[in-house]
Amino acid sequence: MNRFIDYLKIGPVFSYFIRVFRKPDPNQPTSVNLRMMHGINRISIIMFLFAVIVYTVRHCTR
């Protein structure tokens, strides 16, 4: 049961969202692949949030 509760923890998910939208840390090593991955993740998060907002507005106006 304890392992199941560990799977439901979403704290690391929110810390990733915060880390993606922050300025890059100059002390961390960077590469083109990592920067592209974070850029694509930013786009997908923004598109998802936009879709949730549109869905909510459409649902509430019916």
Side-chain angles (χ1 to χ4, degrees):
M1 185 67 177
N2 198 12
R3 288 181 65 190
F4 180 70
I5 292 173
D6 288 340
Y7 286 125
L8 296 178
K9 291 183 181 179
I10 57 172
V13 174
F14 291 120
S15 66
Y16 176 77
F17 287 156
I18 292 168
R19 189 176 67 217
V20 167
F21 288 107
R22 276 193 325 205
K23 274 180 88 174
D25 186 12
N27 297 329
Q28 294 288 336
T30 182
S31 68
V32 175
N33 295 332
L34 186 64
R35 289 176 47 195
M36 293 294 279
M37 180 191 71
H38 284 299
I40 291 170
N41 286 345
R42 285 183 192 124
I43 292 169
S44 63
I45 291 169
I46 291 169
M47 286 178 62
F48 173 75
L49 292 176
F50 179 73
V52 167
I53 291 169
V54 168
Y55 177 76
T56 304
V57 168
R58 285 187 179 181
H59 182 70
C60 291
T61 58
R62 285 187 179 184

